[in-house]
């Protein structure tokens, strides 16, 4: 993502704050930002963990505390001011978000509320071929993978994009033929770093059991582990992602994340996860799961 696109997003976040009293829809935001509704939808989800409508509602609730607590407005006036359809809609949204009604909070006035902060483009790191979001941390159970393992020399991968070629070949020949898949549209690219000059790469799918795995394919069980999950987004189809694009991702991970996050890589493997149902000619996203351990408190 280029600087002008980041500026566009900041203008969009400003637009939301400036029009927070209005009834904002995805169509309004897409027109204001001059980007597609699909791109807008995904961007919000990556940055905030919320859909655009959820984020706007959360910001309305956060902003409404000024009128609720400091200015002592009537609840019906607050709901109208922020374009909730009815007074009860505001009360219901407030209680769902904070576990307490607006009047109860006004009377008690001391409880901590988790407020949704305004989004900014600082949550995105720009890379030469896309952008990456701050990592999330998950605990993932063991998983079974069926795929086609290859040994990849790093120098060959850089010169001939071997991992990309192996992944696309597996997708075309085997991806849709493997039974008992857990997520039929999800591609897993599993890398195990063996030595300084080569690794193994397993284009694969996650399955519920190995009983009916096709002959000739490899099977591995990945143990339960804790992962740092990095979301990489680009403006081209994910099948085109290769080592040239991922070099900048790994530079960010190696030079920034492991130095500043309080976490470090805890095992010799990692995997890429691509949900094919989200792929478009001008949009791709990939999640990179890295086994992570905490190094500082």
């Amino acid at each position: 993502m280029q600087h002008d696109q980041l500026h566009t997003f900041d203008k969009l976040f400003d637009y939301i704050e400036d029009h927070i009293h209005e009834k904002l829809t995805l169509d309004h935001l897409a027109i204001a930002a001059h980007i597609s509704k699909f791109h807008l939808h995904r961007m919000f989800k990556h940055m905030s963990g919320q859909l655009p409508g959820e984020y706007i509602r959360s910001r309305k609730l956060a902003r409404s505390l000024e009128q609720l607590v400091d200015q002592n407005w009537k609840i019906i006036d607050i709901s109208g001011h922020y374009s909730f359809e009815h007074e009860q809609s505001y009360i219901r949204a407030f209680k769902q978000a904070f576990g307490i009604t607006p009047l109860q909070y006004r009377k008690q006035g001391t409880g901590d509320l988790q407020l949704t902060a305004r989004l900014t483009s600082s949550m995105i790191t720009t890379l030469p071929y896309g952008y990456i979001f701050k990592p999330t941390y998950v605990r993932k159970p063991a998983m079974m993978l069926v795929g086609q393992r290859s040994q990849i020399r790093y120098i060959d991968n850089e010169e001939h994009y071997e991992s990309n070629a192996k992944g696309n070949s597996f997708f075309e020949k085997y991806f849709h033929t493997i039974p008992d898949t857990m997520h039929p549209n999800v591609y897993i690219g599993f890398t195990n770093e063996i030595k300084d000059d080569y690794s193994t790469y397993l284009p694969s799918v996650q399955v519920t059991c190995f009983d009916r795995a096709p002959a000739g394919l490899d099977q591995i069980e990945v143990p339960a582990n804790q992962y740092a999950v990095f979301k990489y987004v680009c403006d081209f189809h994910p099948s085109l992602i290769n080592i040239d694009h991922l070099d900048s991702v790994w530079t960010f991970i190696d030079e920034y994340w492991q130095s500043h996050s309080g976490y470090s890589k805890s095992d010799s493997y990692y995997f890429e996860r691509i949900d094919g149902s989200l792929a478009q000619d001008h949009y791709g996203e990939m999640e990179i799961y890295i086994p992570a351990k905490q190094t500082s408190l």
Side-chain angles (χ1 to χ4, degrees), residues 16 29 39 53-54 69 83 115 120 125 130 155 168-169 184 186 209 255 257 278 284 288:
I16 291 173
L29 301 184
H39 196 181
E54 295 170 339
V69 178
S83 296
L115 305 180
T120 72
T125 297
I155 189 170
N168 288 332
S169 175
V186 174
C209 64
E255 294 185 0
W257 174 67
L278 302 175
I288 302 174

Side-chain angles (χ1 to χ4, degrees), residues 39-87:
H39 196 181
L40 182 64
H41 184 277
R42 298 302 302 168
M43 180 271 297
F44 264 92
K45 187 65 174 177
H46 296 330
M47 292 182 70
S48 69
Q50 297 176 303
L51 301 179
E54 295 170 339
Y55 170 77
I56 291 169
R57 184 170 59 251
S58 296
R59 288 299 298 148
K60 287 177 180 285
L61 293 174
R63 293 277 297 270
S64 75
L65 291 178
E66 179 181 355
Q67 290 78 33
L68 177 67
V69 178
D70 298 334
Q71 300 179 12
N72 207 35
W73 284 23
K74 294 180 179 178
I75 301 301
I76 192 171
D77 292 335
I78 297 175
S79 65
H81 185 66
Y82 288 99
S83 296
F84 285 90
E85 291 186 1
H86 308 285
E87 179 182 4

Side-chain angles (χ1 to χ4, degrees), residues 140-145 190 210 220-225 227 269 271:
K140 191 172 178 60
M143 60 180 183
M144 294 180 284
L145 302 179
F190 186 90
F210 290 137
I220 65 169
E221 184 166 357
V222 184
N225 212 337
Y227 297 92
Y269 72 87
F271 62 90

Side-chain angles (χ1 to χ4, degrees), residues 10 30 53 59 68 85 116 118 127 251 260 296:
D10 275 330
R59 288 299 298 148
L68 177 67
E85 291 186 1
T116 296
R118 178 197 181 281
L127 302 175
T251 297
H260 298 87
S296 61

Side-chain angles (χ1 to χ4, degrees), residues 133-140 225-231 252-253 256-266 287-296:
F133 294 88
K134 291 182 178 179
T136 58
Y137 296 88
V138 302
R139 180 77 186 179
K140 191 172 178 60
N225 212 337
Q226 175 176 280
Y227 297 92
V229 184
F230 293 84
K231 181 85 69 174
F252 173 84
I253 291 171
Y256 179 80
W257 174 67
Q258 293 205 93
S259 299
H260 298 87
S261 68
Y263 286 83
S264 65
K265 196 167 182 289
S266 63
E287 292 176 321
I288 302 174
Y289 284 71
I290 300 176
K293 63 181 179 181
Q294 192 164 351
T295 57
S296 61

Side-chain angles (χ1 to χ4, degrees), residues 67-187:
Q67 290 78 33
L68 177 67
V69 178
D70 298 334
Q71 300 179 12
N72 207 35
W73 284 23
K74 294 180 179 178
I75 301 301
I76 192 171
D77 292 335
I78 297 175
S79 65
H81 185 66
Y82 288 99
S83 296
F84 285 90
E85 291 186 1
H86 308 285
E87 179 182 4
Q88 286 300 318
S89 300
Y90 171 70
I91 296 172
R92 184 164 52 250
F94 194 100
K95 186 172 183 179
Q96 183 178 13
F98 304 129
I100 191 173
T101 68
L103 283 180
Q104 287 173 333
Y105 185 74
R106 173 183 282 168
K107 292 176 181 179
Q108 296 175 7
T110 56
D112 292 337
L113 301 183
Q114 293 294 113
L115 305 180
T116 296
R118 178 197 181 281
L119 291 176
T120 72
S121 64
S122 64
M123 301 177 70
I124 306 172
T125 297
T126 307
L127 302 175
Y129 300 100
Y131 53 101
I132 193 167
F133 294 88
K134 291 182 178 179
T136 58
Y137 296 88
V138 302
R139 180 77 186 179
K140 191 172 178 60
M143 60 180 183
M144 294 180 284
L145 302 179
V146 172
Q148 191 173 39
R149 184 188 286 113
S150 298
Q151 182 172 299
I152 307 289
R153 294 175 65 223
Y154 297 130
I155 189 170
D156 293 334
N157 196 33
E158 291 178 358
E159 293 181 357
H160 306 295
Y161 306 140
E162 284 202 3
S163 293
N164 182 256
K166 297 292 185 182
N168 288 332
S169 175
F170 168 80
F171 187 86
E172 294 171 4
K173 292 180 180 179
Y174 301 108
F175 185 82
H176 298 290
T177 68
I178 298 174
D180 305 314
T181 55
M182 183 169 289
H183 307 290
N185 292 314
V186 174
Y187 168 93

